[in-house]
Amino acid sequence: SPHELFGLLIFLVVAAATGSLAGRLREQANATRERADATQALYEFSGKLSAATKIDDVIWLLAAESAAIVKGKSIILLEQSHELSIAGGWPPEDTLATGDWAAARWAHRNGEPAGRLTDTMPSAIYQFRPLISSTGTVGVLGVTPGDEDEALPSATASALQSFADQAAIAIERTRLVEQAAEAATTAESERLRGALLSSISHDLR
C-alpha cells in the first residue's frame, strides 16, 4: 500500500544517512588513532634521542623508528667528503638502485623530499627527506611503507619529518662533541710534547 512504500522509502533514507555518518565517524576515529600513535612515537623517539651520545646510536635509532612508523623499510645516507654514502638502515641495507641514488642526491642538494609519491622521481622505491641542521643538509632519510600502494597518512608524514629534523640536530650535536674531544686530545698531546721538550732541553743544558 502507499503508506508502506512511503515507510520503506523513509527507512532507506535513514539507513543511507546512518551508514554515511558511521563511515565518517570511522574515518575520524582512524585519523585520531593515527595521530595518537604518531604523537606517542614522536615522544618516545625524542626521549631515546636525547640519550644518544654517538652518531651510530642516532643513525640506528632513526632507522629503526622510521621503519616502525611507516611499517616498512628505512635507509639513512650521510654526507662524507661532499658525497652521500649509506650510513645505516632497517633492515640493514648497503645497496641502492640507481633511481634511488638519483632521488637521494636531489633531495640532499635541494633540501626537499624526492622519490616515491613525490613530484620528483616518483618511480624510486624510497621516499627521501633531507636531514637539515643549522649548518646545512647533513644527509637524507629514505623510507618505503609496507603497503607500497598507499600514501603516508598526514599524521605519520608529520611525525616522520619531525624525526628527520630532530635527528639532523642530534647528528650535528654528536659531531661537534667528537670534534671537541679530538681538539681536547690534540691540545693535551701538544701540552705533553711541549713539557717533554722543555724537560729534555733543561737536561741537555
Side-chain angles (χ1 to χ4, degrees), residues 34-46 65 69 159 163:
E34 289 171 355
R35 286 195 296 270
D37 292 344
T39 301
Q40 180 65 26
L42 182 58
Y43 173 77
E44 293 176 355
F45 178 77
S46 299
E65 295 296 328
I69 199 172
F163 282 5

Side-chain angles (χ1 to χ4, degrees), residues 21-177:
L21 179 60
R24 287 199 297 269
L25 289 175
R26 184 166 55 252
E27 291 175 357
Q28 292 176 359
N30 290 338
T32 300
R33 183 168 58 253
E34 289 171 355
R35 286 195 296 270
D37 292 344
T39 301
Q40 180 65 26
L42 182 58
Y43 173 77
E44 293 176 355
F45 178 77
S46 299
K48 295 175 182 177
L49 193 62
S50 63
T53 57
K54 297 181 180 179
I55 193 168
D56 289 342
D57 297 334
V58 175
I59 292 170
W60 181 89
L61 179 62
L62 176 60
E65 295 296 328
S66 298
I69 199 172
V70 301
K71 299 179 178 63
K73 300 188 297 183
S74 67
I75 192 165
I76 294 126
L77 291 80
L78 296 183
E79 182 180 358
Q80 301 286 345
S81 301
H82 305 291
E83 183 58 58
L84 289 177
S85 62
I86 298 175
W90 188 264
E93 181 64 75
D94 59 1
T95 60
L96 270 181
T98 303
D100 286 295
W101 274 113
R105 292 187 177 105
W106 192 96
H108 178 261
R109 183 172 59 253
N110 294 277
E112 296 180 3
R116 181 183 176 276
L117 296 176
T118 68
D119 294 333
T120 305
M121 305 178 194
S123 61
I125 298 174
Y126 287 89
Q127 179 184 115
F128 292 96
R129 293 171 179 261
L131 302 174
I132 303 176
S133 69
S134 60
T135 58
T137 305
V138 298
V140 293
L141 163 66
V143 295
T144 180
D147 188 349
E148 298 183 358
D149 296 329
E150 293 187 5
L152 292 174
S154 59
T156 301
S158 297
L160 191 64
Q161 186 60 51
S162 296
F163 282 5
D165 294 340
Q166 293 189 40
I169 296 173
I171 290 172
E172 182 182 32
R173 169 174 55 81
T174 56
R175 283 179 171 175
L176 289 175
V177 170

